[in-house]
Amino acid sequence: MTADLLVPYHRHMADDRHRELAKALLTWSLQLCSCNRGSAWHAREAFYAATFERYCAPPDAAERENLLCAKYITFFFSLDDGLHNELEALADQLRSGRPVRAGELGTLHDALLADLRAHGLDTKQVEARIAELCAAAVTERARDARTMTQEQFHDLRMVTVAAKPYIDCRRAVRNLPVPNEENLVEQALEAIYIANDLASLDKETASGGAGEYETSNIVRFHAACSGRDLNAVITTVTDRYNHIAATLRNTTPGPLATILTSTVDGNLRAHVGLSTTRYPGAARLLRCLQPVVPPSRR
C-alpha cells in the first residue's frame, strides 16, 4: 500500500535508493499521522523530503544518516505546508519550555528528536535551531516589507530557509563539533535561500496576493523596496549566488566544507528536479546558477 502511493512520483526519482528513502519516510509519517489530509498528501511530502536528502547528502552518507536527516526535512515540509495553528502552538511551547502538544507537527518534532537520541546523538543544537525556526516562521509573512531593512530580511530568511537545523542534523550524525567557520555556514545558507526563492518565484508571482511573499522571497523583497523590476533583481541575486559558489569552491577541503558543498549543490539539483512538481517553472531561473562543484568533477 505504501509503495503504491509513491508510484506517481517514480518517474521523478533518481534511483532505487531515492525510492526506498521515500518509502521509509512515508511509512514513518503515516505511523505518526493524526491529520485528515490523507495518505496521498503524505506521499507527496515524503517524495519532496526524499528528493532533497537524495541530492544534498554527501556521497559517503550511509543509509542511517540519510534517513535521520530526511526525517528532519519531512518535519520541515509539514511545518511549511501544514496547519499554521499547529506551528503557532509548537513555537509557543518550545519558547516556554512546556511539553509539546501541537498536533501532528509536534508529534513529528518529538519523534525526530527521539530517533536522533536513540542513536546516541547530541540533539541540543538541533533542538535550539528548530525552536528558532518555528519562532521565525510564525512571524515571517506578518512582517511588513516596507519597514524591514535589508539586514532584517537577510537575518530572517537565513532562519526560515530551514537549512541550519538540517546541517546540524548531519553534523550530529557525523560527530562533528560546532563549526568555527561560521562565515562559511552563513554563506551556504544565503546561497540556499537564494536558490529557493528563485525556484519559487514564478509560482508565487502567479498566485497573486500583493505583498504576501515580499518578506519571504529575496527577489520580491528587493523589487518592492527598490522599485526595480524583477528581471534586474534576478540578475543581482544570481550574481550573488555565483559569487558564493566560487567562494565555497575555493575553500580548504574538510568535513564541514564537504557538508556545505553537498548541501548547496544538492539544494540546487533538488529544486531543478522538482521543477515539474513543487516548483513549476524553476528550471528557467536556476539554470543560471553555478554549482560549487562542476558536473565534470563529481
Side-chain angles (χ1 to χ4, degrees), residues 17-173:
R17 189 171 185 176
H18 193 166
R19 285 185 281 274
E20 288 303 312
L21 181 58
K23 182 179 177 180
L25 292 175
L26 179 55
T27 299
W28 183 68
S29 299
L30 292 178
Q31 288 171 347
L32 301 172
C33 176
S34 61
C35 70
N36 59 3
R37 290 174 291 224
S39 54
W41 186 90
H42 286 287
R44 185 192 67 184
E45 301 292 290
F47 161 61
Y48 292 157
T51 299
F52 275 94
E53 173 59 20
R54 178 64 186 86
Y55 289 122
C56 289
D60 63 342
E63 183 177 337
R64 180 192 75 150
E65 179 178 345
N66 286 146
L67 185 55
L68 288 172
C69 293
K71 284 180 176 179
Y72 164 72
I73 306 175
T74 303
F75 162 78
F76 168 67
F77 277 125
S78 184
L79 179 158
D80 201 40
D81 295 341
L83 300 174
H84 193 73
N85 66 310
E86 287 192 2
L87 169 60
E88 289 178 321
L90 180 57
D92 181 63
Q93 290 155 11
L94 294 178
R95 181 174 55 252
S96 65
R98 299 198 308 273
V100 171
R101 299 286 186 273
E104 186 171 307
L105 184 62
T107 300
L108 287 171
H109 170 273
D110 283 1
L112 167 65
L113 295 178
D115 286 349
L116 290 169
R117 294 184 191 119
H119 287 86
L121 304 179
D122 183 355
T123 63
K124 290 180 181 177
Q125 190 77 1
V126 175
E127 289 181 68
R129 296 299 183 184
I130 288 177
E132 181 184 34
L133 165 64
C134 291
V138 165
T139 66
E140 184 176 30
R141 289 186 182 176
R143 302 288 184 96
D144 188 342
R146 295 169 299 180
T147 61
M148 288 180 74
T149 66
Q150 294 187 17
E151 291 77 14
Q152 288 171 330
F153 172 88
H154 173 75
D155 291 346
L156 179 65
R157 200 69 186 94
M158 292 279 276
V159 177
T160 57
V161 75
K164 190 61 184 292
Y166 176 74
I167 292 170
D168 284 334
C169 280
R170 176 144 279 124
R171 183 185 58 77
V173 173

